[in-house]
C-alpha cells in the first residue's frame, strides 16, 4: 500500500457526462501529480499541484480540470466525456514541490465511458 | 519533448532465467531513470531507479544500467520467479514533475 488513496476505484458513465476523481495524498505530502493511462497513449502526465497551487501542466485536455484543496486532497474533473477518455487515472504524491523522484502512485481509478 | 522507447513489448522467460528490458530516451537533459512494476489492478510501483551520475545500480535480483552517451538504460532481473510476472515500465525525467514513460513490457515467468 503506497498510502495514496484514490476513489472511486471504478466508474462507468455515459458520453457527455461529467465525473470527479478524488485523490488523497500520503500523510505529509504536499504535491499531487495526475497521470492518465490509456491503451493508445500509454502513461501520460496531466497536471501537478503543490500546496494548493497549480505548478505544471502536461497533456491535459481543456475539458479536464483539477484542483487541490486546503486539506491537500485533489480532484480531477472530467467533463463532456468521450469514449476516448476511457482510461486508468492515477495520482501520485510527494513531500516536496516538483519532486517526482520521491512520488508514490495510488491504485488508480478506472473510468469507462459508454 | 522527451520520447522513451521500450523493448520488447512482451517477454516470456522460464523460471530461474534472466529477463532484460531495454529503453532509449531522446532528451539529453533527462537525469532520472526509474523502473516501475505494475500488477493487475494496481498502480505503478517503483522497483529501482538510477540517476545520470551513476552507471549501474543493483538491488538483490534487480539491476539497472545506464549509458548516457548512447541514451539507453536497461533493467535486468535475475533468477526470475513467478511473482515477477507483471508489466514493467521504464521512464525518464529531469527530476521535476514529469515522468515520460515507455510503452511497457509484459513479462511472463513460466513455472
Amino acid at each position: 500500500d503506497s498510502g495514496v488513496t484514490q476513489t472511486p476505484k471504478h466508474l462507468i458513465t455515459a458520453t457527455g457526462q461529467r465525473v470527479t476523481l478524488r485523490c488523497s495524498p500520503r500523510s505529509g505530502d504536499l504535491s499531487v501529480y495526475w497521470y492518465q493511462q490509456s491503451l493508445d497513449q500509454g502513461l501520460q502526465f496531466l497536471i501537478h499541484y503543490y500546496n494548493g497551487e497549480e505548478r505544471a501542466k502536461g497533456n491535459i485536455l481543456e475539458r479536464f480540470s483539477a484542483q487541490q484543496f486546503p486539506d491537500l486532497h485533489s480532484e480531477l474533473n472530467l467533463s463532456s466525456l468521450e469514449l476516448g477518455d476511457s482510461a486508468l487515472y492515477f495520482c501520485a504524491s510527494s513531500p516536496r514541490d516538483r519532486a517526482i523522484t520521491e512520488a508514490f502512485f495510488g491504485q488508480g481509478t478506472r473510468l469507462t465511458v459508454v | 519533448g522527451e520520447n522513451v522507447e521500450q523493448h520488447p513489448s512482451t517477454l516470456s522467460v522460464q523460471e530461474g532465467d534472466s529477463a532484460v528490458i531495454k529503453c532509449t530516451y531522446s532528451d539529453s537533459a533527462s537525469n532520472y531513470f526509474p523502473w516501475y512494476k505494475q500488477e493487475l489492478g494496481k498502480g505503478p510501483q517503483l522497483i529501482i531507479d538510477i540517476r545520470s551520475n551513476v552507471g549501474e545500480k543493483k538491488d538483490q535480483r534487480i539491476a539497472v544500467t545506464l549509458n548516457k552517451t548512447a541514451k539507453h538504460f536497461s533493467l535486468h532481473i535475475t533468477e526470475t520467479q513467478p511473482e515477477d510476472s507483471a508489466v514493467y515500465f521504464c521512464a525518464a525525467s529531469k527530476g521535476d514533475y514529469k515522468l515520460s514513460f515507455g510503452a511497457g513490457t509484459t513479462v511472463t515467468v513460466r513455472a
Side-chain angles (χ1 to χ4, degrees), chain B residues 70-85:
Chain B
K71 293 196 198 134
H72 65 70
F73 56 113
S74 301
L75 177 72
H76 303 252
I77 307 173
T78 59
E79 300 172 18
T80 53
Q81 300 169 5
E83 53 263 38
D84 294 328
S85 295

Side-chain angles (χ1 to χ4, degrees), chain A residues 60-100:
Chain A
I60 188 166
L61 299 172
E62 285 192 13
R63 299 182 286 107
F64 297 0
S65 65
Q67 58 186 130
Q68 186 180 24
F69 294 85
D71 67 353
L72 300 175
H73 90 273
S74 178
E75 293 180 358
L76 181 67
N77 301 295
L78 316 176
S79 61
S80 302
L81 284 166
E82 302 175 359
L83 295 178
D85 297 328
S86 296
L88 272 165
Y89 292 84
F90 291 104
C91 79
S93 75
S94 71
R96 298 182 299 146
D97 187 17
R98 299 188 173 216
I100 196 66

Side-chain angles (χ1 to χ4, degrees), chain B residues 11-108:
Chain B
L11 183 58
S12 179
V13 297
Q14 190 69 37
E15 182 177 359
D17 287 350
S18 295
V20 179
I21 304 170
K22 298 183 178 182
C23 288
T24 60
Y25 63 99
S26 61
D27 189 346
S28 57
S30 291
N31 57 17
Y32 175 67
F33 307 93
W35 286 88
Y36 290 87
K37 177 182 182 182
Q38 187 175 22
E39 295 174 313
L40 204 59
K42 297 188 177 181
Q45 178 191 4
L46 179 70
I47 56 172
I48 195 167
D49 57 16
I50 192 167
R51 294 177 189 267
S52 58
N53 58 347
V54 174
E56 183 175 358
K57 184 176 178 181
K58 288 184 75 171
D59 183 3
Q60 298 183 356
R61 296 186 296 109
I62 294 174
V64 57
T65 59
L66 171 65
N67 183 326
K68 276 200 70 179
T69 304
K71 293 196 198 134
H72 65 70
F73 56 113
S74 301
L75 177 72
H76 303 252
I77 307 173
T78 59
E79 300 172 18
T80 53
Q81 300 169 5
E83 53 263 38
D84 294 328
S85 295
V87 181
Y88 291 80
F89 292 93
C90 63
S93 174
K94 296 173 190 168
D96 45 17
Y97 54 86
K98 180 179 176 181
L99 289 163
S100 297
F101 285 90
T105 297
T106 300
V107 174
T108 303

